[in-house]
Amino acid sequence: MASEQDVRAQLQRAGQDHLLRFWADLAPESRAALLAELASLEPDALREHCQRASAACAQVPGPLPDLEARLQPLPPELVGSAIRCDLETRLRWEEEGFRQIALNKVAVLLLAGGQGTRLGVTYPKGMYQVGLPSQKTLYQLQAERIRRVEQLAGQRLGTHCTVPWYIMTSEFTLGPTIKFFKEHDFFHLDPANVVLFEQRMLPAVTFEGKAILERKDKVAMAPDGNGGLYSALADHQILEDMKQRGVEFVHVYCVDNILVRLADPAFIGFCVLRGADCGAKVVEYSEISPETAGLRGADGSLLYNAGNICNHFFTRDFLDMVTREFEPLLKLHVAVKKVPYVDEEGNLVKPLRPNGIKMEKFVFDVFQFAKNFVAFEVSREEEFSPLKNADTASRDNPSTSRRALLTQHYRWALQAGAHFLDVHGVQLPEQSGEEALSFLPNGDPPALCEISPLVSYSGEGLEKYLQGRILQSPFLLDEDQARLLQPQEC
Ligand code: UTP
């Protein structure tokens, strides 16, 4: 290992020798750990990274209006719509998606390396539970949707099939995620079909271009963004693993969307039938000004209906090409964040305002390399409610996520012919479908109804349990309850 003198001299040349300023205070093992870390960061590469970060931060593009002026709608021929298509078309997409799943050609890949700083929990976001009657966590909901979609595909095509679950973690999330899955018996999935791997980390940098110390003997590191996926796939031979299993199509998604449809057969089927190598689910925008969001095209449909919800379809071949050829071309973006650091006296400081730059790659930056990109429009109510913030924020928080799921399940139950009594035993007015949404005073549905993904994946098959039933709120339809409600066969 390089000596302290050598490393100090290299760091001096790189303008980063402040990283050794607590050397005299460190015990031998801390010194060894710090030297090893600094050697692995390579002082020349570190200098380049820090310079690039502070230069990029100084030129962050202007606020949203600039972007809006450059916004262009997607060419309509690239877009399929789950909302506006006819039933026959939708069934055709689903049929194809189920067929590919039943042939074991579909995998799901979860991006779970983020630090969830806005939500403010110290554990991986997938372990969070938003307060559903069942108390299920995001990880559990996802695992159960995988089990259900495997079952549905298997039933249709008379096979026993597997949708492998690849989970990209980071230094922060790997250990706790593995522990959590073990404690929960992998939510009854076969552990051999759950593959966890780790993304790379990059040093966090001050606005002046200095790497940050988070302890006297440790540089502050952050995961390299969800676009770190592509180097992580190569680092851990994940595409080889997929090839061995016969996987051809991958559904990549973020951990924080409580409504996410894993391996959604309609989406997979649409992309496969279009011969796409890369696809994205999209919804109407909420992030642009109401004027722009409301613009309509000649046929009366919304011009900007393509907000990316981080649900991507990739062929394995496309991922292979990206990891081999295009990964080095991916841009590093600036994320300005609160980075805990040690001050001159060696005390840990948790800043109240952003003080550091993290450089991140974005998973969707590979769209430009696709030969046949498609977008698939879905309904926000049915498919997108991200958990980003704590409840102190007004949107995308635990309450909005919980309500989105409970409102969806209430809607499904009404559509299946259920009637509800409120908590006082009074029958609620008969409403169904979209009307049900109109009488939510604070966003909560009038009755609490939660349906296990093990019983229904996207609202299907509920009539046999719920048709004509009068249900007391709160109502939880899990597998046991479903068995009780199932009509007895003679
Ligand atoms: P976000 O951009 O919302 O970041 O991630 P985050 O880390 O979850 O939350 P904040 O910004 O610190 O509050 C979107 C998705 O990308 C994943 C996250 O786990 C989430 O699923 N992600 C993000 C990674 O897998 N790796 C990263 O380096 C960053």
Side-chain angles (χ1 to χ4, degrees):
M1 188 164 57
S3 69
E4 182 233 331
Q5 284 85 351
D6 290 346
V7 174
R8 192 179 288 277
Q10 288 170 338
L11 286 174
Q12 256 161 5
R13 283 198 299 279
Q16 303 292 330
D17 51 324
H18 61 286
L19 296 174
L20 284 174
R21 70 185 188 278
F22 296 109
W23 185 258
D25 303 352
L26 298 181
E29 44 306 352
S30 298
R31 287 181 170 185
L34 182 58
L35 278 191
E37 181 176 40
L38 293 170
S40 75
L41 288 175
E42 296 173 9
D44 282 344
L46 181 64
R47 185 198 58 224
E48 225 173 274
H49 171 75
C50 292
Q51 282 174 351
R52 201 181 324 149
S54 75
C57 184
Q59 330 164 337
V60 171
L64 216 51
D66 260 344
L67 292 176
E68 277 194 39
R70 296 185 351 233
L71 209 60
Q72 297 274 324
L74 273 174
E77 63 277 11
L78 300 188
V79 187
S81 174
I83 313 169
R84 287 175 286 123
C85 67
D86 55 46
L87 183 63
E88 195 189 322
T89 308
R90 193 185 163 89
L91 292 177
R92 195 155 36 85
W93 291 335
E94 278 181 9
E95 191 59 42
E96 178 63 15
F98 277 125
R99 199 173 70 83
Q100 299 296 347
I101 294 170
L103 291 170
N104 292 319
K105 289 191 178 178
V106 179
V108 289
L109 193 154
L110 165 60
L111 303 167
Q115 290 174 283
T117 48
R118 284 167 289 173
L119 181 60
V121 289
T122 53
Y123 50 84
K125 220 190 256 185
M127 288 163 54
Y128 195 84
Q129 61 119 331
V130 298
L132 294 171
S134 67
Q135 315 251 305
K136 284 178 189 171
T137 57
L138 295 175
Y139 281 152
Q140 182 168 357
L141 291 170
Q142 293 169 24
E144 293 184 353
R145 287 187 195 134
I146 294 176
R147 287 175 56 200
R148 176 72 181 165
V149 85
E150 287 173 345
Q151 192 190 33
L152 289 172
Q155 277 168 1
R156 276 179 180 235
L157 287 113
T159 61
H160 179 78
C161 60
T162 300
V163 175
W165 194 6
Y166 294 91
I167 306 182
M168 183 175 82
T169 58
S170 63
E171 191 178 294
F172 298 103
T173 58
L174 179 63
T177 299
I178 292 183
K179 187 162 173 276
F180 191 71
F181 272 66
K182 284 188 178 155
E183 281 165 6
H184 291 85
D185 197 17
F186 284 74
F187 306 105
H188 305 289
L189 291 164
D190 180 347
N193 297 327
V194 182
V195 180
L196 287 99
F197 61 104
E198 200 176 337
Q199 68 180 107
R200 296 183 193 173
M201 306 285 282
L202 288 171
V205 179
T206 66
F207 301 128
E208 293 74 39
K210 301 284 180 193
I212 298 174
L213 276 181
E214 72 176 21
R215 284 198 320 251
K216 288 180 175 182
D217 61 348
K218 169 111 184 58
V219 178
M221 302 289 286
D224 60 351
N226 55 26
L229 170 66
Y230 307 104
S231 43
L233 288 175
D235 290 348
H236 303 283
Q237 290 90 44
I238 298 299
L239 296 176
E240 286 74 8
D241 186 274
M242 289 180 180
K243 191 171 179 186
Q244 272 170 18
R245 293 171 189 262
V247 168
E248 301 283 348
F249 310 113
V250 187
H251 174 209
V252 173
Y253 69 100
C254 289
V255 73
D256 48 29
N257 176 12
I258 196 166
L259 302 181
V260 64
R261 290 193 182 168
L262 291 97
D264 178 9
F267 180 42
I268 304 285
F270 168 75
C271 294
V272 172
L273 288 172
R274 280 287 186 102
D277 51 358
C278 173
K281 269 195 184 178
V282 296
V283 295
E284 285 167 18
Y285 280 100
S286 64
E287 291 76 9
I288 52 180
S289 68
E291 294 75 42
T292 310
L295 290 176
R296 287 182 184 270
D299 65 352
S301 64
L302 286 173
L303 216 47
Y304 296 110
N305 59 352
N308 177 358
I309 61 168
C310 197
N311 264 263
H312 306 314
F313 167 93
F314 297 120
T315 61
R316 182 171 50 77
D317 286 346
F318 178 72
L319 290 173
D320 193 45
M321 187 178 67
V322 168
T323 55
R324 277 187 294 107
E325 288 178 42
F326 298 121
E327 199 287 329
L329 306 180
L330 290 184
K331 194 170 149 33
L332 276 162
H333 300 264
V334 169
V336 176
K337 302 250 176 161
K338 295 178 208 161
V339 183
Y341 65 98
V342 283
D343 66 12
E344 288 307 314
E345 283 74 50
N347 303 310
L348 178 68
V349 182
K350 290 196 172 157
L352 298 174
R353 277 199 298 271
N355 61 320
I357 309 163
K358 294 180 178 176
M359 297 299 277
E360 297 190 340
K361 291 178 179 168
F362 293 159
V363 67
F364 49 75
D365 272 351
V366 300
F367 290 176
Q368 58 183 312
F369 307 122
K371 295 199 179 73
N372 188 6
F373 175 83
V374 292
F376 190 62
E377 185 194 15
V378 297
S379 134
R380 186 182 280 268
E381 284 72 33
E382 283 292 328
E383 301 211 24
F384 186 52
S385 179
L387 174 61
K388 297 287 183 193
N389 306 308
D391 262 333
T392 43
S394 61
R395 54 180 294 178
D396 301 342
N397 60 37
S399 298
T400 56
S401 301
R402 190 179 56 85
R403 278 185 202 140
L405 187 122
L406 292 175
T407 304
Q408 179 188 58
H409 290 189
Y410 181 62
R411 199 166 50 225
W412 289 354
L414 292 178
Q415 281 161 4
H419 310 277
F420 280 91
L421 303 179
D422 70 11
V423 278
H424 310 293
V426 178
Q427 184 153 353
L428 287 161
E430 302 295 314
Q431 308 258 352
S432 72
E434 289 306 303
E435 298 153 52
L437 294 171
S438 64
F439 63 91
L440 309 177
N442 63 350
D444 268 351
L448 289 185
C449 168
E450 184 185 346
I451 299 170
S452 165
L454 296 171
V455 177
S456 185
Y457 173 84
S458 57
E460 81 289 345
L462 293 171
E463 291 78 5
K464 64 175 176 287
Y465 310 120
L466 302 182
Q467 178 84 61
R469 300 260 178 195
I470 299 177
L471 305 169
Q472 174 67 57
S473 169
F475 174 71
L476 178 59
L477 180 58
D478 56 14
E479 281 179 301
D480 290 340
Q481 183 65 252
R483 262 189 293 277
L484 288 176
L485 293 176
Q486 178 119 38
Q488 298 298 312
E489 291 184 12
C490 307

